[in-house]
Amino acid sequence: MFLPRRANRQLLLLLVFLSLEATRLAAASDEDSPPPHDSPSSEVSTATVSEPDPKPDAGSDSKPDPEPDTRSDTEPANEPASKPATEPASADNASSCPSSVLRPWVCACNSSLNPSPSPPPEDSMPAIDISFKGEFGYELIAVLPHAYWHFLNGTLRSTKSCGSSLSLLYYFSPAHATDPNCKRSNDHNHVIKEYGFSKGLHFSDIPENWHPPPLVYRTRELGRVWLDVPIGAPLVMISNKYEIEWAEPPANFIDVPTLLTVIHEFLNKGYYVVYNRPGKSIKADPEQGDRDDLGDHPRLAEEFGSEARFRTMQQIHEVWPSLDFNEVQFRMMARSSCFVSVQGGSSVLSSYWGGKNVIFYRKGWEGQGGAYERIYHRMSGAKIEVTKTYEVLLERVQEMIREERCKAV
């Protein structure tokens, strides 16, 4: 068929356009499909595992491995060894930054074991040094999230903690120091003034310059300390205290009869149980530390001394004498997703690892100020339940067992 010269030109232009469009669509399709080697399922952890010198585990026939193990033989090879059961939560979304963070892309480092933000821009606030010697619970609620917020903004220069080593909590700090001769005080006016809690720690809304660090990521990467607990086995940590409170006799503690009942409940259902009450010999400040007249440890040794699925934190620490007690404690907590704790610093610390935390509370500002409902779950996205009687505590323990979510990781 004969076509005019002008029609031939138009047909040629149409063919060229169609060819270019096909090439563009093919290139866009290639960009949307990442190569197989970039898939998250093929990532391999490059974490460095510390090598403490363990002692043989008391009560166990087998000797522990020469170094903490970071994963089980049954754990899928295509999953990162440090993958957490619960993502750290910000104010509203676990994967987002607070609106106050100056450089929100740094929050992508939350899943990294050692995030390193770039230097602060010239027009940002000056770098600061953070030092604190108040109560441990106040430090966990106000100071640690404040320090991490400054780290995310590139404005943290150094941190300093009081008493026993807390370097693992401040793993993100460019320079962290510990004052071993420091004694903690209960003067918290500076907490209100310096860290944004204008109405008091337990009555204020969360300030803008507040973002809890994702401790579970960093700590799980360091390895296990109770090697007899299989990955996926039911595991619970029970943290107790017995100390003078507000110049009055102890009020917030789990008594020995209730403690024995709780432990039996877990053991009868196949749980591994860790009991954590350090006592004066391990507390950073013995004058403010736990009293030794609760009578729990002798009774526990008598009742569960030959039980392979029960350990006190002191027994676990004895296996790893080269490690600081706090590091052993934090490593153990990072492997658990279920906690029973009491009012005070242990209940705050137990809320930093995700999962579920059942808190026994009789008196304190936390309950009066609504801090349990407003703050504690925002440490890590943990589910918080508060009980005021031993009877309700036992009910919550039985409920925790029925849910079957307390898996060791």
Side-chain angles (χ1 to χ4, degrees), residues 217-292:
Y217 286 85
R218 170 66 174 175
T219 314
R220 282 184 186 171
E221 184 266 340
L222 295 177
R224 297 181 293 161
V225 288
W226 187 4
L227 302 179
D228 293 337
V229 182
I231 301 297
L235 170 67
V236 66
M237 282 198 63
I238 303 173
S239 296
N240 200 7
K241 70 173 184 178
Y242 191 69
E243 60 188 32
I244 297 297
E245 301 174 286
W246 307 284
E248 297 179 359
N252 298 292
F253 66 95
I254 305 175
D255 65 10
V256 173
T258 304
L259 181 62
L260 294 176
T261 302
V262 167
I263 295 175
H264 275 297
E265 288 282 343
F266 283 117
L267 290 177
N268 290 341
K269 297 298 182 180
Y271 274 67
Y272 288 80
V273 180
V274 177
Y275 180 66
N276 186 21
R277 190 179 77 85
K280 283 189 175 182
S281 61
I282 299 177
K283 282 281 186 174
D285 185 355
E287 294 181 6
Q288 297 182 3
D290 282 3
R291 295 168 52 167
D292 293 327

Side-chain angles (χ1 to χ4, degrees), residues 86-96 110 210-212 214 377-382:
T86 305
E87 299 287 341
S90 64
D92 299 306
N93 189 306
S95 61
S96 64
N110 273 6
W210 189 90
H211 192 74
H377 69 282
R378 299 172 71 173
M379 299 294 182
S380 64

Side-chain angles (χ1 to χ4, degrees), residues 202-217:
H202 302 299
F203 293 83
S204 302
D205 291 329
I206 296 297
E208 289 188 358
N209 54 354
W210 189 90
H211 192 74
L215 298 180
V216 68
Y217 286 85

Side-chain angles (χ1 to χ4, degrees), residues 128-263:
I128 68 168
D129 303 297
I130 295 178
S131 178
F132 183 75
K133 59 178 181 179
E135 290 184 18
F136 185 45
Y138 277 65
E139 183 168 7
L140 291 173
I141 293 176
V143 183
L144 188 61
H146 182 75
Y148 190 66
W149 181 87
H150 275 284
F151 165 76
L152 292 177
N153 283 279
T155 52
L156 179 65
R157 182 165 52 201
S158 71
T159 53
K160 187 177 183 180
S161 57
C162 176
S164 59
S165 174
L166 297 176
S167 58
L168 190 53
L169 297 184
Y170 290 93
Y171 71 91
F172 53 86
S173 175
H176 180 72
T178 300
D179 182 359
N181 300 317
C182 171
K183 287 190 176 183
R184 293 181 178 268
S185 69
N186 57 3
D187 177 14
H188 304 305
N189 291 330
H190 56 292
V191 172
I192 298 173
K193 295 177 181 179
E194 296 180 21
Y195 301 107
F197 291 85
S198 59
K199 299 178 182 179
L201 186 67
H202 302 299
F203 293 83
S204 302
D205 291 329
I206 296 297
E208 289 188 358
N209 54 354
W210 189 90
H211 192 74
L215 298 180
V216 68
Y217 286 85
R218 170 66 174 175
T219 314
R220 282 184 186 171
E221 184 266 340
L222 295 177
R224 297 181 293 161
V225 288
W226 187 4
L227 302 179
D228 293 337
V229 182
I231 301 297
L235 170 67
V236 66
M237 282 198 63
I238 303 173
S239 296
N240 200 7
K241 70 173 184 178
Y242 191 69
E243 60 188 32
I244 297 297
E245 301 174 286
W246 307 284
E248 297 179 359
N252 298 292
F253 66 95
I254 305 175
D255 65 10
V256 173
T258 304
L259 181 62
L260 294 176
T261 302
V262 167
I263 295 175

Side-chain angles (χ1 to χ4, degrees), residues 52-130:
D53 182 21
K55 291 181 180 179
D57 191 355
S60 173
D61 294 332
S62 59
K63 294 183 178 180
D65 296 340
E67 61 185 66
D69 185 16
T70 59
R71 62 186 303 120
S72 167
D73 292 336
T74 60
E75 198 170 353
N78 62 345
E79 292 187 5
S82 58
K83 181 180 180 182
T86 305
E87 299 287 341
S90 64
D92 299 306
N93 189 306
S95 61
S96 64
C97 275
S99 59
S100 58
V101 170
L102 300 180
R103 296 197 306 280
W105 60 84
V106 179
C107 284
C109 294
N110 273 6
S111 61
S112 171
L113 301 176
N114 190 19
S116 299
S118 56
E122 293 182 0
D123 59 348
S124 71
M125 67 187 74
I128 68 168
D129 303 297
I130 295 178

Side-chain angles (χ1 to χ4, degrees), residues 177 195 303 329 376:
Y195 301 107
E303 190 80 11
Q329 178 182 210
Y376 280 50

